[in-house]
Amino acid sequence: MKILFYASILFATLSLTACSSSRVILLDNGKAQNAVVIITKQGQQVLDKKNTYLDISATGSSAVKPISPQQVQQTYGTLLAAAPKAPISFLLYFETDSTSLTAASQRQLPAISSAIKERIPCDVNVIGHADRTGTKAYNIDLSLRRARQIRDWLYTQKLDISTIIVESYGEEDPLIPTADDVPEPRNRRVEILIR
């Protein structure tokens, strides 16, 4: 059985008494595959259908039962609203042998700024890349300059970012594998991960 680790679940403790129990609900994460395995001393159970749940106590776990999205919202809406937003990533592309963003990538900048504001406080990783034209050493420097340019743009936005980590992969992690000296626009990029 394939176990998926990116399940969207809600884990709620129902009572803090000696007879406490917990409820695990598999929420709809918008993906085709979504599952979680619950292991207790009595064995394991799999939740692999969205909007189902089971209760866990010291004596074991209940059978899997359905729960409607309306019931989830009515019972756990406040808890879900307080949950942090999921990480999000962006790709920005650059002109050939340059730290200038393409016009399409320049238009993405407001969306990046908005995504950060929605997740404050947050950490941001800025990872520069290059295609395989030029030497490896030159591409490490070029991709670092691209990443630092985006970092500097983030500073000008005066966002309350906890940490910005800048990395340079040069030509070593291409989005599109190519032979040496082959220009590839999709490899001239900066990845931004906001979490």
Side-chain angles (χ1 to χ4, degrees):
M1 171 181 288
K2 182 176 180 181
I3 299 173
L4 302 175
F5 293 99
Y6 293 105
S8 182
I9 61 170
L10 175 65
F11 184 81
T13 300
L14 300 177
S15 170
L16 296 176
T17 67
C19 300
S20 69
S21 64
S22 298
R23 176 169 288 173
V24 178
I25 304 170
L26 186 64
L27 302 172
D28 183 3
N29 67 354
K31 297 179 180 174
Q33 295 182 322
N34 189 15
V36 64
V37 177
I38 295 96
I39 301 172
T40 64
K41 290 179 182 175
Q42 290 74 34
Q44 73 176 32
Q45 284 185 275
V46 177
L47 282 178
D48 59 359
K49 292 185 176 62
K50 66 182 178 182
N51 299 320
T52 56
Y53 75 96
L54 59 79
D55 293 320
I56 305 168
S57 68
T59 59
S61 57
S62 70
V64 175
K65 300 173 187 170
I67 186 168
S68 72
Q70 295 79 17
Q71 287 176 295
V72 170
Q73 192 59 39
Q74 183 178 10
T75 308
Y76 305 105
T78 303
L79 180 63
L80 291 169
K85 288 199 169 273
I88 188 169
S89 63
F90 294 87
L91 289 178
L92 296 174
Y93 296 99
F94 291 80
E95 301 293 345
T96 303
D97 193 20
S98 168
T99 59
S100 298
L101 287 170
T102 63
S105 289
Q106 287 178 9
R107 289 191 294 272
Q108 279 191 280
L109 295 177
I112 294 169
S113 184
S114 295
I116 290 171
K117 289 175 184 170
E118 291 172 357
R119 287 163 177 79
I120 287 175
C122 62
D123 296 325
V124 178
N125 288 63
V126 182
I127 306 165
H129 299 270
D131 64 18
R132 297 193 67 191
T133 57
T135 66
K136 285 186 178 187
Y138 179 80
N139 287 328
I140 287 173
D141 178 67
L142 177 60
S143 61
L144 181 60
R145 285 186 283 131
R146 288 173 174 162
R148 285 178 174 164
Q149 177 172 314
I150 298 304
R151 176 205 59 195
D152 293 346
W153 170 77
L154 289 169
Y155 285 151
T156 67
Q157 300 303 299
K158 302 193 184 312
L159 301 167
D160 189 18
I161 300 172
S162 299
T163 306
I164 300 176
I165 297 173
V166 174
E167 299 174 80
S168 170
Y169 285 15
E171 62 183 53
E172 296 302 319
D173 188 24
L175 197 60
I176 307 297
T178 66
D180 200 23
D181 286 327
V182 174
E184 173 51 58
R186 290 169 289 182
N187 291 337
R188 297 190 296 265
R189 70 193 192 281
V190 161
E191 299 176 45
I192 300 175
L193 174 62
I194 304 163
R195 52 190 166 76

